[in-house]
């Protein structure tokens, strides 16, 4: 058994990587639907509205249950919660793949679509059970002195999963069908569960090592989280970041399709732009580890998103006289938007651990963040789409992203004055 003392242990890096891998698998399940929509329409005859519900049901779970599941994770135990979430994702994905064997012309076709909708909602619960306890687990399993860098690595779980889904999904679906894609991700989450079970110390062992004060009842922990300013500021900043990032990255395929870019090239360009966010997360974690002020990093990140989106979308003039940067420079600006924005979640996950009222409320604080993030991702993309519809193009996207960036800068300034909770540092 690994040592649970204060010194570094060889087992902690493996445990930390297992937690991050579990997050990437959960993000893959979140993003697996986008490349599968055409295949689902062809095999099951789903409508665009049904496809939209399939895409948004996971975010609905986050919007409505993030705080509650965060409380549950703190109560059940962090490792136990993550394992339960991975098990839910595995089972739901296996059952979803089985739906792919249904005859589209048979009497069960309509029920198959309803079954996918139900399973998608269940996957949303599994996703939350995986990602909400992760920051506290990352901090607990990282080597002494590398906690902030490890949290920066964790912050890259979402863009990593989205990029992998965009790169792997289309080819696998084209070769074997969408059901095989579902089953492949079921195998991935099952493997992640085995790795977490083998590498991450049991909740009882971790509690025995840290000897915390007895856990308060959940109403006390909920009240403490909601009454503190820090969790609300972190959640608001996360919503302003995630909403604009998802709006820009999510609509890139549509932007490139309108510009005549082939589907394969559009998928690669979008995946690379998404992957740039990974580098920003890692950089943010390392900078915090070296003593950079979190408030300053947040302002830099939101400023990079503002400048990148302005350069990518602003056009001067109207109609045929409208001009903007050349396509290559616009794409570079999108990459700057994504890379610079990656500093934001890395910093916010570090701050979430620090501003939580105590060690037993970290997952609850992250649950509040996830709930706000889901709300941002639910609201910003439709707003950008509405502007594009009214304007006949994407040239006013910067209005939404700049507004989010400015408000994000305001919350960054407020977070700079929030002192870390003594309990969160213990």
């Amino acid at each position: 058994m690994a040592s649970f003392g204060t010194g570094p242990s060889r087992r902690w890096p493996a445990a930390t990587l297992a937690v991050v891998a579990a997050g990437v698998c959960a993000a893959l399940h979140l993003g697996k639907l986008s490349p599968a929509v055409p295949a689902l329409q062809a095999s099951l005859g789903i409508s665009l509205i049904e496809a939209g519900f399939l895409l948004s049901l996971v975010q609905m779970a986050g919007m409505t249950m993030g705080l509650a599941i965060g409380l549950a994770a703190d109560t059940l135990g962090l490792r136990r919660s993550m394992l339960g979430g991975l098990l839910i994702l595995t089972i739901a994905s296996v059952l979803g793949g089985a739906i792919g064997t249904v005859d589209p012309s048979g009497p069960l076709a309509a029920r198959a679509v309803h079954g996918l909708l139900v399973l998608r909602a269940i996957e949303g619960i599994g996703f939350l059970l995986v990602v909400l306890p992760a920051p506290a687990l990352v901090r607990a399993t990282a080597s002494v002195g590398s906690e902030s860098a490890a949290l920066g690595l964790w912050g890259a779980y979402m863009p990593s999963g989205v990029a992998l889904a965009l790169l792997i999904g289309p080819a696998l679906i084209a070769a074997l069908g969408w059901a095989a894609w579902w089953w492949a991700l079921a195998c991935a989450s099952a493997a992640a569960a085995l790795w977490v079970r083998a590498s991450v110390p049991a909740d009882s062992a971790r509690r025995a090592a840290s000897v915390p004060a007895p856990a308060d009842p959940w109403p006390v922990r909920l009240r403490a989280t909601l009454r503190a300013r820090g969790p609300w500021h972190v959640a608001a900043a996360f919503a302003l970041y995630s909403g604009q990032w998802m709006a820009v990255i999510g609509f890139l395929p549509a932007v490139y399709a309108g510009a005549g870019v082939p589907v394969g090239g559009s998928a690669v360009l979008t995946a690379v732009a998404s992957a740039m966010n990974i580098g920003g997360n890692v950089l943010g974690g390392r900078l915090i580890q070296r003593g950079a002020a979190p408030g300053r990093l947040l302002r830099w990140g939101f400023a990079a998103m503002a400048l990148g989106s302005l350069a990518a979308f602003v056009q001067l003039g109207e109609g045929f006289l409208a001009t903007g940067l050349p396509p290559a420079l616009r794409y570079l600006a999108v990459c700057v938007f994504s890379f610079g924005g990656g500093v934001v979640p890395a910093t916010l996950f570090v701050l979430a651990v620090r501003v939580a009222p105590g060690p037993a409320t970290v997952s609850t604080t992250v649950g509040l963040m996830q709930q706000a993030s889901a709300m941002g991702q639910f609201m910003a993309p439709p707003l950008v789409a509405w502007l594009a519809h009214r304007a006949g193009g994407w040239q006013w996207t910067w209005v939404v992203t700049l507004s989010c960036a400015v408000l994000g800068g305001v919350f960054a300034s407020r977070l700079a004055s929030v002192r870390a909770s003594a309990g969160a540092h213990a």
Side-chain angles (χ1 to χ4, degrees), residues 251-414:
F251 282 124
L252 274 187
V255 173
Y256 293 139
V261 178
V263 175
S266 173
V268 172
L269 289 172
T270 304
V272 171
S274 175
M276 295 297 294
N277 195 259
I278 301 171
N281 273 276
V282 174
L283 175 64
R286 290 186 179 276
L287 289 175
I288 293 176
Q289 195 69 53
R290 295 179 180 180
R296 183 178 301 172
L297 287 179
L298 287 176
R299 288 191 289 270
W300 286 353
F302 280 117
M305 298 185 85
L307 294 175
S309 60
L310 279 170
F313 293 105
V314 162
Q315 290 184 359
L316 301 177
E318 297 182 0
F320 291 108
L321 299 177
T323 59
L325 291 176
L329 290 181
R330 289 188 175 214
Y331 180 71
L332 179 61
V334 170
C335 290
V336 169
F337 167 90
S338 185
F339 180 86
V343 174
V344 175
T347 306
L348 290 176
F349 279 120
V350 172
L351 285 174
V353 175
R354 295 181 180 180
V355 303
T361 60
V362 172
S363 293
T364 308
T365 300
V366 177
L368 184 63
M369 285 176 61
Q370 193 67 42
Q371 196 153 336
S373 171
M375 189 170 296
Q377 293 179 54
F378 186 80
M379 296 174 64
L383 182 56
V384 167
W386 178 79
L387 278 175
H389 175 72
R390 293 296 301 268
W394 303 94
Q395 63 271 24
W396 290 103
T397 299
W398 65 269
V399 174
V400 176
T401 57
L402 182 62
S403 299
C404 290
V406 170
L407 288 173
V410 171
F411 282 103
S413 298
R414 292 183 178 182

Side-chain angles (χ1 to χ4, degrees), residues 22-128:
V24 173
C25 283
L28 272 166
H29 284 278
L30 192 72
K32 69 183 176 185
L33 197 80
S34 294
V37 167
L40 288 169
Q41 289 177 311
S43 64
L44 297 179
I46 68 171
S47 66
L48 283 175
I49 294 177
E50 288 169 332
F53 275 112
L54 285 170
L55 286 166
S56 64
L57 270 174
V58 174
Q59 298 303 337
M60 288 296 293
M63 286 175 60
T64 56
M65 294 185 286
L67 190 59
I69 293 180
L71 272 171
D74 280 325
T75 302
L76 295 173
L78 305 179
R79 178 177 178 267
R80 190 177 295 116
S81 170
M82 178 167 283
L83 288 173
L86 289 168
L87 180 62
I88 289 172
L89 289 173
T90 300
I91 295 174
S93 205
V94 168
L95 294 176
I99 290 176
T101 64
V102 172
D103 182 2
S105 61
L108 296 178
R111 293 184 180 180
V113 176
H114 297 154
L116 273 182
L117 288 168
V118 172
L119 289 171
R120 191 65 175 163
I122 293 173
E123 286 178 348
I125 296 173
F127 171 81
L128 292 173

Side-chain angles (χ1 to χ4, degrees), residues 159-320:
S160 300
V162 171
L164 286 172
L166 289 170
L167 286 173
I168 300 172
L172 196 151
I173 292 169
L176 301 174
W178 70 266
W181 175 229
W182 256 242
W183 288 331
L185 293 185
C187 292
S189 52
L194 291 175
W195 192 6
V196 169
R197 189 176 186 277
S199 300
V200 178
D203 296 311
S204 57
R206 213 170 44 255
R207 283 194 294 265
S210 57
V211 195
D216 293 319
W218 71 263
V220 175
R221 290 183 278 118
L222 176 62
R223 192 159 51 244
T225 302
L226 296 180
R227 285 180 175 177
R229 289 185 306 157
W232 285 105
H233 292 165
V234 168
F238 201 45
L240 292 165
Y241 155 78
S242 62
Q244 62 173 314
W245 188 84
M246 187 58 69
V248 171
I249 300 300
F251 282 124
L252 274 187
V255 173
Y256 293 139
V261 178
V263 175
S266 173
V268 172
L269 289 172
T270 304
V272 171
S274 175
M276 295 297 294
N277 195 259
I278 301 171
N281 273 276
V282 174
L283 175 64
R286 290 186 179 276
L287 289 175
I288 293 176
Q289 195 69 53
R290 295 179 180 180
R296 183 178 301 172
L297 287 179
L298 287 176
R299 288 191 289 270
W300 286 353
F302 280 117
M305 298 185 85
L307 294 175
S309 60
L310 279 170
F313 293 105
V314 162
Q315 290 184 359
L316 301 177
E318 297 182 0
F320 291 108

